Amino acid sequence: MTNTTTKYIFVTGGVSSSLGKGIIAASLAKLLQSQGYRTTIQKLDPYINIDPGTLNPYEHGECYVTDDGAETDLDLGHYERFLNVPTSQANNVTTGRIYQSVIDKERRGEFLGKTVQVIPHITDEIKHRIQILGKSGEYDIILTEIGGTVGDIESLPYVEAVRQLKWELGNENALVIHLTLIPYLSAAGELKTKPTQHSVKTLMESGVQADILVCRTEHELNDGIRTKLARFCNVKKESVIQSIDASTIYDVPNMMLEEGLDKVVLNQLQLEAHTPDLTSWNNFTEKLKNPKSDIVIGLIGKYVELQDSYKSILEAFIHAGAANEVRVKVVSIHSEFLDAQNVKLKIENLDGVLVAPGFGERGIEGKIEAIRYVREHNIPFFGICLGMQMAVIEFSRNVLNLHKANSSEMDELTPFPVIDLMEAQKLITKKGGTMRLGSWECNLLENSKVATIYNKNIIHERHRHRYEFNNDFKDQIENSGMLSSGCNPQTGLVEIVEIPSHPWFIGVQYHPEYKSTVANPHPLFLSFIKAALKYKTNKQ
Ligand code: GLN
């Protein structure tokens, strides 16, 4: 048996995708963390892309960026938001990355003439990746979420790796939680267990016995259903955990606590259970549910019809809203359908506008129209990444009268490339993992609005972009009233612009939303919400 003190929890999914494995993993991790266990979560994704950085949001939702510059699955955002502990490249591994390292080893001759095979070479690489965090000594418990659904061809090597690890580590050091769906047939008026029985059986065909079932359901599971599930799926009755639909994901830790998920987990892992300290968490959910006022923020982007594409921004609004005791209603506005004629109608009643990050030309003119309107009408404005770049373009066009000002991303031949390709990007030809990524230092200008908001002079924020503010236009832009209030100390890249004469007009080249957590709502979001509330109050 491997000598280890780190405990491993694997979370698999059955019956259907989108059951919320990430939220269940994050909620359980929260309960374990709040009992004093150092906990982290990892996601294994069975697709062949090396990372989701090259994936369209239509395919995969938001791409979440870590401090160390990994482009990762959006579930890592949930892990950070729940646990308030940063994740890294080691927390997200894809099949593409696994195969790439095995193939690289093969090319280096490291397999000494052996035939390289899925078992043992790919499964060994998966097992190695699973244990990197465990062996770091930083954690007591590692939760590993296996993407996809059991029975998928592409999940098989992962399930096999889990089988081997469970055997090697022993039942007191490794357990499997299977997240499943209990559908309700309204015609029969019944909850059905059969799909779960089948998916547990599918897992068993690969030699893995689920230890705990977490059952997604729209209706309460009664005692009879719990007994039936336990009997047919070889689990103890107390290990049948109900996960009923919640009004907010932030309720799930308490729901899991009520069901005793943490207790059955700790019991099997032979760890002591304590009373979790959820005081600050409950403080947050209390405020979230009892807002004293509400505001309406327009989120302007081109993927607004997709719930997951701006996930971290929406969650950052929830954190900052709760802290301010305000309900933030976010209205999605598709930038492609916004123009000079309809902009007033769509924006005049909002209390604040956030222009979202993005890539490519589609929808940018609508973003520019919206920014013009909010700038001229003193409506709080927050631009993130492409949103900041569009604010610089709008200002250059309409205040500096550089009419064809643009980003060279959108118009390579623009006479006024106020946003231009970064020097370091000019020789890059490969698309994957080559943007300016991860955490960079930024110096804040003394007495600027951002310095007051952050209440510090030096910050670190996460980036994901190729283009930047063109310093050739800096003086001209500053002289006309748009200040560069944050710069990278090494490169001189402008990271923040603000308009001091406007009540709240800030654009940031980085992504503050990635760092907003329940425990630490982001200062810019907090301040933006405050400004929007003030704007609304003054308007009335
Ligand atoms: N497309 C822009 C760039 O590459 C902005 C990127 C973003 O919004 N994340 O610089």
Side-chain angles (χ1 to χ4, degrees):
M1 195 162 291
T2 315
N3 183 16
T4 175
T5 47
T6 311
K7 310 279 183 174
Y8 291 88
I9 299 171
F10 300 102
V11 184
T12 59
V15 180
S16 166
S17 56
S18 305
L19 293 181
K21 282 198 292 280
I23 301 297
I24 292 295
S27 300
L28 173 59
K30 183 78 221 166
L31 294 179
L32 300 173
Q33 184 196 49
S34 59
Q35 294 177 49
Y37 293 106
R38 297 168 306 157
T39 310
T40 190
I41 319 181
Q42 170 188 55
K43 171 107 192 252
L44 305 183
D45 274 313
Y47 52 73
I48 303 196
N49 304 66
I50 301 289
D51 59 45
T54 51
L55 286 170
N56 190 316
Y58 284 103
E59 291 277 322
H60 196 262
E62 170 187 278
C63 172
Y64 184 78
V65 179
T66 56
D67 278 335
D68 66 346
E71 296 178 283
T72 71
D73 186 77
L74 58 79
D75 273 345
L76 270 75
H78 291 308
Y79 307 161
E80 288 204 13
R81 290 188 278 273
F82 275 54
L83 298 182
N84 198 36
V85 175
T87 54
S88 69
Q89 182 63 72
N91 295 77
N92 191 198
V93 180
T94 67
T95 294
R97 199 171 282 275
I98 301 276
Y99 270 79
Q100 192 181 46
S101 36
V102 171
I103 291 168
D104 286 348
K105 271 189 204 158
E106 188 273 337
R107 291 289 83 183
R108 289 196 300 268
E110 287 181 27
F111 293 111
L112 304 173
K114 289 258 185 258
T115 307
V116 180
Q117 295 181 295
V118 173
I119 301 171
H121 301 102
I122 295 297
T123 45
D124 278 354
E125 183 65 27
I126 296 174
K127 283 160 65 184
H128 164 69
R129 298 278 181 156
I130 290 173
Q131 292 177 100
I132 287 179
L133 288 164
K135 288 184 175 157
S136 73
E138 284 174 46
Y139 303 104
D140 304 312
I141 304 173
I142 313 288
L143 280 96
T144 301
E145 178 192 346
I146 315 281
T149 309
V150 297
D152 296 348
I153 291 175
E154 52 189 22
S155 301
L156 283 174
Y158 292 95
V159 176
E160 169 61 13
V162 169
R163 185 194 67 77
Q164 291 182 20
L165 269 178
K166 222 183 155 209
W167 176 249
E168 289 164 21
L169 297 166
N171 271 343
E172 71 283 14
N173 291 320
L175 64 78
V176 173
I177 297 177
H178 190 56
L179 176 62
T180 174
L181 174 71
I182 310 293
Y184 179 74
L185 289 191
S186 49
E190 266 183 66
L191 286 166
K192 291 296 185 187
T193 65
K194 194 68 82 187
T196 298
Q197 296 179 39
H198 281 295
S199 87
V200 169
K201 207 186 255 169
T202 306
L203 204 51
M204 281 175 83
E205 279 166 13
S206 302
V208 176
Q209 165 67 55
D211 299 290
I212 296 168
L213 295 181
V214 175
C215 306
R216 278 298 302 271
T217 175
E218 288 172 37
H219 300 273
E220 296 279 338
L221 301 185
N222 62 28
D223 200 60
I225 295 261
R226 288 179 194 249
T227 309
K228 192 170 171 188
L229 280 164
R231 181 177 305 137
F232 285 110
C233 300
N234 275 348
V235 298
K236 292 186 191 133
K237 199 168 144 201
E238 65 266 27
S239 299
V240 176
I241 304 291
Q242 159 183 295
S243 169
I244 204 159
D245 293 354
S247 60
T248 153
I249 55 171
Y250 297 107
D251 273 345
V252 181
N254 274 306
M255 290 162 64
M256 292 302 106
L257 180 67
E258 245 165 69
E259 284 285 306
L261 176 60
D262 56 322
K263 280 210 187 70
V264 286
V265 163
L266 290 169
N267 188 28
Q268 177 168 339
L269 297 178
Q270 298 180 3
L271 294 172
E272 225 177 297
H274 309 278
T275 311
D277 180 5
L278 291 170
T279 321
S280 69
W281 184 272
N282 291 341
N283 224 332
F284 157 77
T285 51
E286 195 57 35
K287 283 188 177 167
L288 178 64
K289 289 181 187 168
N290 299 295
K292 298 202 169 115
S293 47
D294 48 52
I295 52 169
V296 185
I297 301 290
L299 170 63
I300 305 189
K302 64 173 173 177
Y303 306 114
V304 288
E305 67 277 32
L306 307 168
Q307 259 194 32
D308 281 350
S309 349
Y310 303 116
K311 194 81 199 156
S312 295
I313 292 177
L314 297 176
E315 299 303 323
F317 276 137
I318 292 176
H319 309 152
N324 278 303
E325 297 182 87
V326 182
R327 185 200 338 262
V328 182
K329 183 165 182 260
V330 179
V331 182
S332 300
I333 301 174
H334 205 305
S335 53
E336 232 183 325
F337 307 119
L338 206 53
D339 55 39
Q341 277 69 52
N342 64 18
V343 69
K344 179 174 188 293
L345 184 74
K346 296 209 176 175
I347 288 187
E348 65 180 344
N349 293 322
L350 300 172
D351 305 314
V353 161
L354 186 146
V355 175
F359 295 85
E361 208 185 342
R362 188 165 68 91
I364 66 151
E365 293 303 325
K367 291 183 174 173
I368 292 172
E369 284 303 340
I371 297 171
R372 177 178 199 160
Y373 190 89
V374 296
R375 182 178 56 77
E376 291 178 345
H377 292 82
N378 285 334
I379 299 176
F381 165 77
F382 194 1
I384 297 185
C385 208
L386 184 70
M388 171 267 200
Q389 298 177 352
M390 293 302 118
V392 174
I393 294 169
E394 187 280 321
F395 195 81
S396 308
R397 285 187 191 176
N398 300 321
V399 179
L400 274 66
N401 291 320
L402 305 176
H403 291 304
K404 288 198 170 134
N406 213 330
S407 161
S408 43
E409 179 182 4
M410 320 303 167
D411 177 5
E412 265 184 280
L413 301 175
T414 168
F416 309 113
V418 291
I419 302 295
D420 201 7
L421 192 60
M422 274 179 275
E423 215 37 58
Q425 289 285 327
K426 290 193 173 150
L427 294 173
I428 289 174
T429 48
K430 283 193 183 161
K431 287 272 179 270
T434 56
M435 284 189 241
R436 179 172 181 241
L437 290 166
S439 181
W440 293 90
E441 189 173 302
C442 172
N443 286 352
L444 303 181
L445 189 72
E446 231 176 290
N447 298 324
S448 60
K449 185 168 244 143
V450 281
T452 318
I453 294 172
Y454 276 95
N455 197 21
K456 3 176 152 156
N457 306 323
I458 299 174
I459 56 164
H460 293 85
E461 292 280 6
R462 300 181 194 171
H463 295 249
R464 183 172 187 251
H465 63 119
R466 293 188 202 280
Y467 294 81
E468 60 160 9
F469 183 104
N470 183 345
N471 275 324
D472 291 350
F473 294 89
K474 187 171 166 190
D475 288 345
Q476 222 178 326
I477 290 177
E478 288 209 320
N479 292 340
S480 301
M482 179 181 266
L483 197 63
S484 307
S485 51
C487 283
N488 178 289
Q490 280 88 40
T491 57
L493 290 182
V494 171
E495 315 279 33
I496 310 175
V497 294
E498 62 182 59
I499 298 181
S501 61
H502 186 286
W504 211 100
F505 190 105
I506 294 174
V508 293
Q509 184 56 78
Y510 50 82
H511 291 263
E513 71 275 22
Y514 294 146
K515 283 182 75 167
S516 181
T517 69
V518 166
N520 269 324
H522 195 282
L524 285 177
F525 278 86
L526 286 171
S527 170
F528 178 60
I529 297 301
K530 240 184 223 127
L533 189 61
K534 191 167 163 198
Y535 174 81
K536 182 183 171 179
T537 319
N538 290 346
K539 191 164 70 167
Q540 280 164 351

